[in-house]
Structures are given as C-alpha cells and as structure tokens.
Amino acid sequence: MSSHAYGAKWTVLKWTPQFNLSRLINGLVLALVVGWLQPTALQAKTIKLLALGDSLTAGYGLAQDEGFVPQLQAWLATHSADIMVINAGVSGDTTASGQARLGWSLTDDIDAVLVNLGGNDMLRGLPPEETRKNLEAILSELTSRGLPTILIRVPASLNFGPDHKASYDMAFPELAARFHSQFIPNFFAAFEEQPNRQEVLRTLFQRDGIHPTAQGVTLIVEKIGPEVLSVLQRLQQGDISRTD
C-alpha cells in the first residue's frame, strides 16, 4: 500500500469518530430543546369549555354578544389567554333533555364542561329525584371521559313546599362532591347581594322576572367568573387533567 493510500485511510479513521461525536452532541442538544419547548406548547393549547345549559346559558332575550357565554368568554379573556367557551345552551331544556343531547354536544376537543341545568325542572315542579338522576347521569358520563366539571345551581323556590326545595337543593352539592365538580351554589348570587330588591327587578331582570338583562349577566359573570377561571387555570397548569 502506498503512503498516499495509507494517508487517505488514516484520514478516514482520524475524522470519523469526531464526526460521529459531533452528530451525537447535536442530537442531544436538539432533544433538550424539544424537551424545553414541549411544555410551552402544551400550555399554549386553547382550553375549550362547553357550557351545557338552558335559556340562562343560551342568552334568552339578549343580543348575541350580551348573553352568559359571550360575556363569560370576554371576562375570561381579560384574565387568561387561550380559553374558548362554547355555547351549548338550549332554551327550555330540563336536566332530562340536557342529558339526551349530551352525547352530540361533546366533541373530542372539549377540555372541561360547565353544567347549568335544573332551573326548568324547578319551575315545572318536576320530582327532585328525577333532577338528581339526570344530573348524576350527566356528571357520570363527563367523569368517564376524564373531563373536569363545574356544576351551577339555581336554588328552588318554596312554591312546591319546603321538602321539595330541600330535596332539589341538596342534590347539587352532594353530586358535586361525589364527582369532584367545582360547585357554584347560586347562579343569581350577585343579585342577592344587591341592597334594593325593586332595583334588581327593574334593572337586572327582564320583564318575565326570570331571565337576566345584559347588565344582570355582567354581574353574574363577575361573581362566578373567578370560580370558573380557577378550574381552567388548574387545567392549563396541569394541576388537573382530563384523566383526573
């Protein structure tokens, strides 16, 4: 073998290890960069909250941007980025009809669900046992899918007697505790904090005395928004997940 050929062979043996080491280092650096970027990408994911409810959720009697969902969306946007609220409110829905449409309301991209049903059950005097059974089925289905939930109650009146009210009202916190839902005891809590009842009826309720005005919705959202946000922020930060 000539010295030239030997030199050529030596050159290959000399530099190949350095070349392989360089590739290895580059690969490790790339892996570290990907590892650092991956949590950021996950945090940047838009959280989608499905608002399952009746006319209080749908925004009955209000302009498109004045209802509960658009105002909640706007409030959340001022406090946390990348949260989308999807309006799955249907006027007149009971807990039974809400349960019946739950399957097609849920899509694979939903991350959490707000359940605001029961008001029509209460107004119609439906048996509290039925309300409990339907809410249990809804929360059970959501839990089986690993979805964090927020349960909102509209407390019952005394129109159907104290026993009916007590049975209806107690179903909500008991189910919330069982299914680890964030529980909001009163959708209209902000109204009860107002000093003048006549002013509430005049400015915060529509003429039917049941549905809130746009101004009323603003107060409602300001009151319950922080509780909704706490669930979504924990979801964003990984403190809770769809597998909890």
Side-chain angles (χ1 to χ4, degrees):
M1 180 178 292
S2 68
S3 60
H4 177 76
Y6 179 83
K9 186 176 181 180
W10 172 252
T11 301
V12 172
L13 291 174
K14 181 179 180 180
W15 291 105
T16 296
Q18 293 183 6
F19 176 73
N20 289 339
L21 180 60
S22 175
R23 291 179 60 187
L24 177 61
I25 292 173
N26 289 339
L28 290 173
V29 171
L30 179 61
L32 289 172
V33 170
V34 170
W36 289 331
L37 292 179
Q38 191 172 13
T40 303
L42 289 174
Q43 291 172 2
K45 176 184 180 296
T46 299
I47 297 295
K48 292 188 178 180
L49 172 68
L50 181 74
L52 181 72
D54 49 34
S55 56
L56 296 178
T57 301
Y60 175 87
L62 300 174
Q64 187 173 1
D65 62 343
E66 295 177 341
F68 174 71
V69 168
Q71 289 210 45
L72 179 61
Q73 171 77 71
W75 187 93
L76 291 170
T78 65
H79 293 80
S80 178
D82 297 320
I83 295 176
M84 177 186 299
V85 188
I86 300 169
N87 195 341
V90 174
S91 294
D93 256 13
T94 60
T95 53
S97 48
Q99 180 199 352
R101 64 183 175 86
L102 178 63
W104 58 262
S105 297
L106 287 172
T107 53
D108 292 339
D109 58 346
I110 298 299
D111 298 294
V113 179
L114 181 152
V115 180
N116 186 20
L117 290 165
N120 286 316
D121 297 46
M122 179 266 293
L123 290 174
R124 299 175 190 181
L126 299 178
E129 296 77 18
E130 290 187 13
T131 301
R132 178 187 288 268
K133 180 186 69 175
N134 296 329
L135 288 175
E136 180 179 11
I138 290 171
L139 293 174
S140 179
E141 172 65 19
L142 297 175
T143 300
S144 71
R145 296 182 183 228
L147 295 169
T149 55
I150 301 162
L151 181 62
I152 302 180
R153 179 182 67 187
V154 176
S157 67
L158 287 168
N159 290 354
F160 300 98
D163 291 341
H164 186 280
K165 173 177 172 58
S167 181
Y168 170 89
D169 284 351
M170 283 305 300
F172 288 78
E174 290 174 358
L175 289 171
R178 176 179 169 187
F179 291 100
H180 307 288
S181 300
Q182 180 78 17
F183 178 50
I184 298 176
N186 188 355
F187 183 78
F188 291 105
F191 290 10
E192 296 186 355
E193 296 175 354
Q194 305 304 308
N196 190 324
R197 177 62 180 170
Q198 292 303 314
E199 187 71 8
V200 168
L201 291 173
R202 187 178 68 83
T203 62
L204 303 184
F205 277 108
Q206 298 179 39
R207 290 185 177 182
D208 59 13
I210 297 174
H211 299 94
T213 60
Q215 180 183 349
V217 173
T218 299
L219 290 180
I220 290 169
V221 168
E222 289 174 351
K223 179 68 176 180
I224 71 176
E227 296 190 64
V228 175
L229 180 61
S230 69
V231 174
L232 302 180
Q233 284 182 329
R234 283 186 284 139
L235 185 59
Q236 283 180 319
Q237 294 164 2
D239 295 335
I240 58 175
S241 68
R242 291 187 52 157
T243 58
D244 281 359

